[in-house]
Amino acid sequence: MQLQGIGAARGIAMGPALVLRAEAPTSSNEEQSVAPEAIPAEMERLAQGLAQAQEALTALIARSEGPAAEILTAHQIMLGDPELLAAAQQEIQSNRVPAEVAISRAGEAIAQVLAGLDDPYLRERAADVRDVARQVVRVLTKAASPLAALRRPSVIVASDLAPSETAQLDPALVLALATETGGPTSHTAILARSLGIPAVVGAANLLGQIEDGQMVAVDGSKGRVWVQPGGEELEQVEGLLRAAKLEAEELKSLRNLPAITRDGHRVELAANVGHPGDSHAAMEAGAEGVGLYRTEFLFMNRGDVPTEEEQFEAYKAVIQAMGGRPVVIRTLDIGGDKELPALGLEKEANPFLGVRALRLCLRRPDLFRTQLRALLRASAFGPTRIMYPMVSGLDELRAANTLLNEERAKLIAEGVAVGTDLQVGIMIEVPSAALISDLLAPEVDFFSIGTNDLIQYTLAADRMNDGVAHLYQPFHPAVLRLIKHVCQMAHAHGKWVGMCGEMAGDPTAAEVLVGLGLDELSMAPASLGVVKRAVCNTSLTEAKKLALRLMAGGALTPSASPPAPVG
Ligand code: PEP
Ligand code: MG
């Protein structure tokens, strides 16, 4: 039997199912009533449960990296939310329920508010609040995590996997994931992609069809799940598994080779990272450098702003881990969908068009100067490329460079080492910057095209809004023409141009990007192999022809599959 869901992380796997049925750990306790004189003790039990859950998270964070560490840190902040505590205390006080019931009800109330919001990203966060409450319930009831049953390589099947559970998965024992709920931006999906585990989300009625131990196959590229495949279905799955194995071997053999087209044109392939630990995955996957280090993750999910020293250590760690390969470090890109509570920013009606990224940094020079100093100091440890996000005109670039030059002069006067292999560039993610790239090019060392934003701003289609997802088209001729123009202007001034948006990691886009003139493509480490293969399989001549055809409104070649929805 074959079920259809949403492909959330590419790859195919088959194995015995481990079905995680929803827990109802508080149901037997719902009936219990706390005697009035026992209320203070129950309040104390609640506080202890919260503290123990915090401790468990701290230990887990220390063992995690990348998105897993970020998600768990966000959970710590949710656990410390005074609103959650107050609501749970209120339940004990007014309804005289035990602490586990109180925290469960308090979490559910907050989750329901989130689940009712329009923003799909915030809606997905309801799962995080429920997860956080469940972690406290488990501590209070001394219940084991359902994943304790995972002892042999299995396909995990669940209604919705709790983010904390996904973060703890042992990739050696998890062949694939399949869930009934969740979308491509759910944490299950994000983590599965970062761990390289095939995943399908949103497959309705999964739990009704699968028993523990039954054979299940998951195709994370096309969103398919097979239960007990037999006959033709089994042949199909086995064919896919054989092809995947051959592909994995082929991609592994490319790991240390450069990306060169059949007619000798070289393209540099780099990795996007968001956390110092990610640089190991980048090196493992054969990245020639880091094309985008999103520094904002260092600032998010915390109550304060990192000091110059803390930032210096994080930037230095990535530069050193890359062992002499260039590292593009982007200055703070807060605003839009990324919040930074410590700055107490005002709510904006259109945050993607508001005081975001470089605009915010220029308004808060204290914050910006600290980051620039940390970056300049870290540049003494290897080739460093400082990159400003969201530049829309020359004045912003010049204002940023003025601050950078002032901080550099101060450091030198203080006798502090600053790197000599240092370049300064900008992201091209606003159409105005693309259109005046001839004016910007003389004042930078490089451009990196941020298609995630460039597409949304060019086509007026919010990158987070499912309702306009059909209009968010990476291959739209308007987008391709802007990319081509930027490449031409950069090259006319002897500057290199890269791309660090999601489009750079899409193997079906690789040929056209080569044809448009990109010198460097930067992507999630897991995409490096497939993109390298796509570059090696084309020629510059063919790629240029394809680019011309698409810019004129033509379609991708009939043989090329449509862009995959997942990374
Ligand atoms: C982009 O806009 O393409 C980009 C890489 O930046 P972010 O996704 O962080 O906005
Ligand atoms: Mg961007």
Side-chain angles (χ1 to χ4, degrees):
M1 180 195 354
Q2 189 192 319
L3 304 167
Q4 188 65 44
I6 303 164
R10 66 196 300 277
I12 174 140
M14 180 164 71
L18 175 68
V19 183
L20 306 181
R21 310 248 166 224
E23 294 167 80
T26 62
S27 56
S28 60
N29 308 3
E30 289 276 349
E31 318 292 312
Q32 292 176 17
S33 175
V34 176
E37 64 279 12
I39 285 180
E42 205 55 31
M43 292 286 193
E44 181 52 31
R45 227 185 120 232
L46 172 69
Q48 278 181 8
L50 285 165
Q52 277 180 34
Q54 282 282 16
E55 267 172 41
L57 273 172
T58 307
L60 204 51
I61 291 167
R63 284 187 267 130
S64 313
E65 52 184 46
E70 283 149 26
I71 291 166
L72 296 170
T73 310
H75 280 195
Q76 267 199 321
I77 293 174
M78 284 180 191
L79 254 187
D81 181 1
E83 214 181 302
L84 182 69
L85 175 65
Q89 286 172 332
Q90 182 69 29
E91 283 287 342
I92 297 176
Q93 190 71 48
S94 312
N95 299 325
R96 299 189 13 219
V97 292
E100 55 272 29
V101 177
I103 193 75
S104 181
R105 286 188 191 170
E108 186 54 34
I110 297 177
Q112 294 215 354
V113 173
L114 287 169
L117 297 177
D118 287 339
D119 184 326
Y121 182 81
L122 290 177
R123 270 205 312 270
E124 297 272 15
R125 301 293 74 80
D128 291 274
V129 180
R130 289 194 178 104
D131 184 9
V132 162
R134 217 159 28 221
Q135 291 171 50
V136 184
V137 170
R138 248 182 243 141
V139 167
L140 288 167
T141 58
K142 301 192 170 49
S145 157
L147 278 171
L150 179 61
R151 297 215 181 82
R152 59 172 175 167
S154 308
V155 173
I156 308 282
V157 178
S159 166
D160 188 13
L161 211 53
S164 66
E165 288 161 0
T166 322
Q168 291 179 64
L169 290 177
D170 177 355
L173 292 181
V174 181
L175 300 170
L177 301 172
T179 65
E180 280 184 338
T181 55
T185 57
S186 64
H187 279 149
T188 303
I190 295 170
L191 283 166
R193 285 199 288 271
S194 84
L195 294 170
I197 298 173
V200 169
V201 295
N205 300 325
L206 206 56
L207 293 189
Q209 318 286 343
I210 305 179
E211 291 298 327
D212 244 353
Q214 278 185 327
M215 269 310 190
V216 174
V218 171
D219 173 6
S221 306
K222 298 217 169 102
R224 296 177 289 188
V225 178
W226 291 269
V227 186
Q228 295 276 60
E232 273 181 28
E233 272 184 356
L234 185 60
E235 269 173 39
Q236 187 189 2
V237 170
E238 285 177 344
L240 290 169
L241 284 166
R242 274 194 302 275
K245 191 158 175 262
L246 283 177
E247 186 188 40
E249 279 163 15
E250 185 197 353
L251 296 180
K252 207 167 155 207
S253 71
L254 292 176
R255 182 189 174 278
N256 295 319
L257 298 177
I260 302 182
T261 61
R262 293 200 314 269
D263 49 357
H265 177 72
R266 175 114 163 69
V267 182
E268 199 170 310
L269 299 189
N272 290 355
V273 304
H275 190 270
D278 299 346
S279 39
H280 302 299
M283 289 293 280
E284 281 281 299
E288 295 177 86
V290 166
L292 170 64
Y293 173 11
R294 289 180 161 103
T295 60
E296 52 276 9
F297 290 124
L298 195 62
F299 291 68
M300 290 162 72
N301 297 329
R302 58 190 285 164
D304 58 354
V305 171
T307 61
E308 178 184 320
E309 211 48 38
E310 195 181 332
Q311 293 188 51
F312 164 69
E313 289 297 338
Y315 308 151
K316 186 177 87 170
V318 175
I319 293 167
Q320 287 185 321
M322 293 310 291
R325 294 167 183 77
V327 177
V328 180
I329 308 184
R330 179 172 76 181
T331 58
L332 195 55
D333 183 11
I334 284 295
D337 59 329
K338 300 175 197 139
E339 288 185 16
L340 210 174
L343 292 185
L345 303 176
E346 279 172 29
K347 276 254 167 282
E348 298 176 298
N350 294 301
F352 271 112
L353 303 180
V355 187
R356 195 192 151 185
L358 186 59
R359 299 165 180 191
L360 173 70
C361 286
L362 292 175
R363 268 209 196 181
R364 290 287 308 267
D366 52 324
L367 194 72
F368 197 34
R369 282 182 190 275
T370 304
Q371 183 171 40
L372 293 175
R373 280 176 70 88
L375 285 169
L376 287 164
R377 285 174 55 200
S379 73
F381 294 85
T384 304
R385 318 283 175 245
I386 295 178
M387 176 162 77
Y388 308 132
M390 273 290 286
V391 170
S392 61
L394 258 178
D395 289 349
E396 289 163 313
L397 167 61
R398 288 180 179 157
N401 272 339
T402 301
L403 296 182
L404 180 72
N405 291 333
E406 284 175 10
E407 290 311 317
R408 189 198 328 239
K410 275 194 234 165
L411 285 170
I412 292 170
E414 290 164 23
V416 178
V418 172
T420 45
D421 189 353
L422 175 67
Q423 296 185 6
V424 181
I426 59 171
M427 289 197 68
I428 300 284
E429 47 186 349
V430 181
S432 62
L435 291 167
I436 59 156
S437 47
D438 55 325
L439 304 180
L440 294 163
E443 306 200 21
V444 299
D445 294 312
F446 67 93
F447 290 142
S448 183
I449 302 179
T451 42
N452 304 343
D453 280 311
L454 185 64
I455 297 167
Q456 76 162 349
Y457 293 136
T458 303
L459 302 174
D462 184 344
R463 63 194 257 190
M464 314 277 286
N465 184 340
D466 290 345
V468 289
H470 62 293
L471 299 174
Y472 185 94
Q473 295 168 5
F475 295 93
H476 192 291
V479 174
L480 301 182
R481 288 179 197 196
L482 286 176
I483 296 172
K484 169 87 182 161
H485 182 68
V486 172
C487 292
Q488 277 178 330
M489 294 305 111
H491 293 159
H493 290 88
K495 308 296 163 75
W496 64 270
V497 48
M499 176 177 286
C500 58
E502 288 298 304
M503 189 177 185
D506 175 358
T508 65
E511 186 175 14
V512 67
L513 297 179
V514 170
L516 291 170
L518 272 305
D519 302 300
E520 179 242 34
L521 300 173
S522 188
M523 63 205 77
S527 301
L528 282 162
V530 279
V531 170
K532 189 181 287 182
R533 183 177 55 187
V535 172
C536 294
N537 281 345
T538 187
S539 72
L540 185 59
T541 317
E542 282 166 21
K544 281 184 176 169
K545 272 193 211 151
L546 173 67
L548 282 176
R549 200 178 68 237
L550 294 185
M551 279 192 297
L556 275 172
T557 48
S559 60
S561 48
V566 296

